């Protein structure tokens, strides 16, 4: 497969351009086209000599994602389903500012990006893993989600766009889409370095949250990275009994090991960890789970994001009613744990990761079957 231009760092491009006897300033011109102007084709790069554009074209691809469908409107959560070069589909979700959650100003946007096609970890409640794992996304496929959304946004009539001083629409990134980010470690880190670089996406590392279901060796590896990404752990259970029931990864890395890795991460980075805790009726929402959860939270100086479960078609799990959700939050607060209850904005548009892809692929298969008959 041809390397995509957006997997190369500035240093790698500098070496490549030197090999082509191109002056160094051409690298910055190219980067400006790729990341500030979000060029979608080589032909747009009019200040690069034709011969250089041809060399680039012959040696690298410049892929953008094709929008298959979009759900949601400008002031709510919007979900994008992309088709990749090989026909695989992944999702990104654009979430308008939620000052209560992230403390940002109200013109801010968070983008949730995918890192794999499908997921191998098979958490019992999750749509992303239902059809298994297909492949890792490349670094450029990860970061192109940001640029494809921004390119789409720039084309919208003014009423749909928020006036902004910066050229960037996306201010915060959460790596919480389809896939287990830390199982695609190298591509993820290459992508995030490019998104973070001043010559690339220019998104501060502190504005990038990586979510993991609990891959202990990779959490330890991430702790050694110089960049200060935020870390979120999909905990969903405060005891091995509960986690074992819904997250197969817990059998490989049980809570004791996960907590030890988080403690080390915390002490090396000095950063607060977030626990994601989906509330699933009758599975992890009983008040007796609140005590061990609060204990873990305080031990790690973490905070808890409680997320009412989003129903997935074909799976038996349900979200607890609001009284039960509030009672769980109150029980955590009584134990002096820091917790927020996030009532999902995207509930109505299949916001839970992996659902839109699953539904669309099913509809496409059905349409093909009808066409074939
Ligand atoms: N694989 C990583 C990141 C992607 S999942 C991880 O598991 O952390 C992002 C978050 O969405 C995780 O916390 C996951 O548990 C949660 N999630 C998955 N299915 C969900 C559903 N149906 N309702 C609510 N949250 C869900
Ligand atoms: Fe994979 Fe995360 Fe879904 Fe678990 S919750 S199946 S790790 S995407």
């Amino acid at each position: 497969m041809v390397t995509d231009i957006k997997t190369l760092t500035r240093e790698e491009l500098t070496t490549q351009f030197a090999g082509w006897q191109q002056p160094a300033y051409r690298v910055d011109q190219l980067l400006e086209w790729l990341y500030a102007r979000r060029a979608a084709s080589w032909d747009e790069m009019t200040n690069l000599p034709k011969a250089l554009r041809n060399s680039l074209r012959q040696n690298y691809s410049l892929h953008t994602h094709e929008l298959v469908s979009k759900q949601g409107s400008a002031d709510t959560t919007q979900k994008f389903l992309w088709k990749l070069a090989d026909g695989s589909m992944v999702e990104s979700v654009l979430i308008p500012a939620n000052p209560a959650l992230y403390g940002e100003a109200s013109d801010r946007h968070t983008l949730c990006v995918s890192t794999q096609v499908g997921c191998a970890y098979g958490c019992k409640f999750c749509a992303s893993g239902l059809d298994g794992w297909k492949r890792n996304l490349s670094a450029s496929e990860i970061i192109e989600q940001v640029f494809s959304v921004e390119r789409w946004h720039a084309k919208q009539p003014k009423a749909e766009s928020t006036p902004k001083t910066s050229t960037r629409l996306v201010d915060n990134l959460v790596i919480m889409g389809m896939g287990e980010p830390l199982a695609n470690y190298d591509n993820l880190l290459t992508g995030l370095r490019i998104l973070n670089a001043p010559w690339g996406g220019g998104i501060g590392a502190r504005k990038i949250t990586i979510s993991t279901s609990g891959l202990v060796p990779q959490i330890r590896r991430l702790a050694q990275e110089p960049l200060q990404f935020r870390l979120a752990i999909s905990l969903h259970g405060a005891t091995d009994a509960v986690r074992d029931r819904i997250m197969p990864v817990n059998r490989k890395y049980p809570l004791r090991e996960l907590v030890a890795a988080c403690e080390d991460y915390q002490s090396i980075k000095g950063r607060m960890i977030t626990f994601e805790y989906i509330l699933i009726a009758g599975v992890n929402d009983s008040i007796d789970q609140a005590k061990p959860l609060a204990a873990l939270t305080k031990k790690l100086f973490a905070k808890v994001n409680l997320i009412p479960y989003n129903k997935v078609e074909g799976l038996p799990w349900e979200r607890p009613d609001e009284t039960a959700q509030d009672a769980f939050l109150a029980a955590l607060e009584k134990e002096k744990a820091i917790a927020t209850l996030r009532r999902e904005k995207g509930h109505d548009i299949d916001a839970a990761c992996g659902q839109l892809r699953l539904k669309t692929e099913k509809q496409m298969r059905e349409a093909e079957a009808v066409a074939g008959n």
Side-chain angles (χ1 to χ4, degrees), residues 119 121-123 125-126 128-129 177-180 213 353:
C119 183
Y121 285 82
C123 300
F125 48 80
C126 176
S128 291
M178 187 187 298
E180 168 48 57
S213 57
C353 64

Side-chain angles (χ1 to χ4, degrees), residues 56-342:
L56 285 164
R57 198 189 322 263
Q58 280 156 18
N59 288 279
Y60 300 100
S61 60
L62 173 58
H63 278 304
T64 57
H65 297 333
E66 181 192 329
L67 186 61
V68 178
S69 72
K70 191 187 83 75
Q71 294 182 328
S73 59
D75 54 348
T76 61
T77 300
Q78 296 176 83
K79 189 159 200 170
F80 299 79
L81 183 69
W82 307 112
K83 193 193 258 181
L84 310 180
D86 69 343
S88 301
M89 287 195 270
V90 293
E91 298 166 29
S92 320
V93 185
L94 185 64
I95 310 153
N98 182 344
L101 241 194
Y102 301 104
E104 353 82 308
S106 54
D107 64 343
R108 296 296 147 115
H109 289 86
T110 296
L111 188 72
C112 173
V113 303
S114 295
T115 53
Q116 301 184 309
V117 183
C119 183
Y121 285 82
C123 300
K124 300 279 192 281
F125 48 80
C126 176
S128 291
L130 275 183
D131 273 351
W133 176 86
K134 295 225 173 79
R135 67 173 178 88
N136 282 334
L137 296 191
S138 67
S140 63
E141 286 173 326
I142 294 170
I143 71 179
E144 181 51 28
Q145 294 169 62
V146 175
F147 304 115
S148 285
V149 165
E150 292 191 334
R151 222 177 276 120
W152 170 87
H153 182 261
K155 283 195 212 126
Q156 298 314 298
K158 269 281 166 280
E160 266 220 64
S161 69
T162 335
K164 287 198 60 146
T165 44
S166 107
T167 56
R168 254 308 65 91
L169 169 73
V170 175
D171 315 275
N172 295 284
L173 278 181
V174 290
I175 317 299
M176 296 188 183
M178 187 187 298
E180 168 48 57
L182 295 188
N184 186 12
Y185 192 96
D186 292 335
N187 291 349
L188 174 72
L189 266 284
T190 303
L192 292 185
R193 280 187 208 110
I194 294 174
L195 283 175
N196 170 252
W199 49 260
I203 301 175
R206 288 182 168 80
K207 300 194 163 187
I208 301 177
T209 302
I210 302 174
S211 175
T212 178
S213 57
L215 271 56
V216 166
Q218 288 91 329
I219 292 171
R220 294 189 178 282
R221 202 174 150 196
L222 194 63
Q224 303 302 327
E225 298 287 343
L227 287 173
Q228 290 282 24
F229 301 118
R230 289 172 186 266
L231 181 64
I233 306 288
S234 292
L235 200 66
H236 311 329
T239 58
D240 281 321
V242 172
R243 257 177 79 86
D244 279 347
R245 184 174 163 201
I246 51 177
M247 302 180 73
V249 68
N250 196 66
R251 293 183 193 272
K252 191 153 187 206
Y253 305 117
L255 268 177
R256 189 175 34 81
E257 287 177 37
L258 177 58
V259 169
C262 290
E263 272 182 311
D264 289 348
Y265 185 92
Q266 231 270 331
S267 69
I268 294 169
K269 293 290 201 193
R271 313 269 319 153
M272 194 188 229
I273 288 176
T274 303
F275 287 144
E276 305 283 330
Y277 196 98
I278 316 175
L279 288 166
I280 310 176
V283 174
N284 64 0
D285 64 336
S286 72
I287 297 302
D288 59 339
Q289 276 289 304
K291 253 205 166 132
L293 177 58
L296 275 182
T297 307
K298 286 186 288 181
K299 183 175 152 108
L300 288 170
F301 307 103
K303 69 167 190 186
V304 184
N305 270 343
L306 295 175
I307 310 150
Y309 180 63
N310 270 313
K311 179 95 185 117
V312 176
E313 230 180 86
L315 296 182
W317 319 96
E318 300 284 346
R319 71 163 49 181
D321 62 28
E322 293 199 357
T323 315
Q325 297 169 19
D326 291 337
F328 197 84
L329 175 66
L332 282 180
E333 285 172 341
K334 191 166 160 247
E335 298 290 327
K336 307 256 180 312
I338 305 171
T340 52
L341 174 60
R342 186 166 91 197

